[in-house]
Amino acid sequence: LTSFFSVGVAGILYGFSHELGMILYQNRDVGVYLKMLAPLVIFMFFDHLADAILKGLDKQLSVVGFNVIDSVLSVVLVWILVPLWGINGYIFVVWFGEVVNCIMSTVSLVKTTGVKIRVCNWLIFPSIAVTASLVITRGALKAFHGGVGETGLTLAVAIIICALIYSLIMRLLGCITLHDYQLALRIFVRDKKKKAPQN
C-alpha cells in the first residue's frame, strides 16, 4: 500500500508539475523544482514506514542514529555545496540525505525482520502503471478538452482520472488486491470513527 500510494503521488506531482506550479504559485519555475523533487516522495514514504516499524520493534536508537548521521551529512554538504551550486546544491543535499536515510532504515529493517523487498511489485510495476496512466490521461484530455489547462477544476479532474486509471492498472498487474483495498478502507473508516465526537 505504501508503494502504491507513494509512487502514485510522486508520478502525479511529476506529471502535473507545471500545472501545479502555475495554479498554486503562478510561477513556472516552481514546476521545474516540483519535477526535480517529485520522485523523492517515494523515498520519504518508505523511510517513514521503515522508521515506524523499527520503532515498533524497539529499535528507536537505530532510528535516532540514522537521523543524526543524515543531519550531520546534510549540514556539511549544505556548507560545501550551496555556495558552489546554489539552489541546485540544496536540492542535491535533500536528495542525498533522504536517500541515505531511507537506505539505512531499509537495510536495518530487512536485517531485523527478514522481509523481502519486492522490487517489481513495489517499484517497477507501479512506475510503469503511473507513467501509463499519465500518458492516457493527458491523451484523453487533449483529445476531448484540448489539454489539462491551467485551472484548478481541470487539474483536479485530470488528477482524479489519472489516479483511477493508475489504480485500475495496478489491479490488473496484480500489485494491488481486493484485500488491500479493504484494508485501506478499514483504516480510513476506523480513523473517521475515532475522530467522531462522542455523545
Side-chain angles (χ1 to χ4, degrees):
L1 286 175
T2 298
S3 66
F4 169 70
F5 189 72
S6 63
V7 175
V9 170
I12 287 173
L13 286 175
Y14 186 91
F16 297 108
S17 57
H18 171 75
E19 290 83 3
L20 286 167
M22 289 302 299
I23 291 171
L24 297 177
Y25 300 99
Q26 295 78 50
N27 190 324
R28 295 184 182 277
D29 292 336
V30 172
V32 176
Y33 294 112
L34 275 176
K35 187 162 287 191
M36 293 170 68
L37 292 169
L40 193 59
V41 169
I42 300 169
F43 294 95
M44 294 172 68
F45 270 75
F46 274 97
D47 180 36
H48 180 73
L49 175 67
D51 284 356
I53 295 174
L54 287 170
K55 289 175 184 177
L57 295 174
D58 199 27
K59 296 288 184 179
Q60 296 93 329
L61 289 179
S62 297
V63 174
V64 171
F66 300 151
N67 290 331
V68 169
I69 293 172
D70 174 23
S71 298
V72 171
L73 287 174
S74 296
V75 169
V76 172
L77 288 174
V78 165
W79 180 62
I80 295 172
L81 296 180
V82 170
L84 295 174
W85 297 346
I87 186 66
N88 291 328
Y90 179 73
I91 290 175
F92 174 83
V93 172
V94 173
W95 261 96
F96 180 83
E98 191 59 51
V99 170
V100 167
N101 201 329
C102 181
I103 290 173
M104 290 190 295
S105 297
T106 303
V107 170
S108 178
L109 181 64
V110 170
K111 287 182 178 179
T112 303
T113 65
V115 64
K116 294 182 179 180
I117 305 298
R118 300 166 62 191
V119 177
C120 283
N121 277 17
W122 293 357
L123 186 60
I124 296 176
F125 287 163
S127 298
I128 294 172
V130 77
T131 301
S133 64
L134 285 166
V135 171
I136 294 170
T137 301
R138 283 195 171 276
L141 287 174
K142 187 174 182 179
F144 295 103
H145 190 265
V148 177
E150 293 182 355
T151 66
L153 179 60
T154 54
L155 178 61
V157 170
I159 290 174
I160 291 171
I161 293 173
C162 185
L164 290 173
I165 295 173
Y166 170 64
S167 180
L168 176 62
I169 295 174
M170 287 287 284
R171 180 75 182 91
L172 293 174
L173 289 173
C175 298
I176 292 293
T177 64
L178 290 176
H179 174 72
D180 293 324
Y181 287 123
Q182 293 167 356
L183 176 62
L185 182 61
R186 286 202 303 271
I187 292 170
F188 287 117
V189 171
R190 188 182 302 122
D191 286 346
K192 190 174 181 180
K193 286 181 179 179
K194 285 181 180 179
K195 293 178 182 178
Q198 299 293 327
N199 293 328

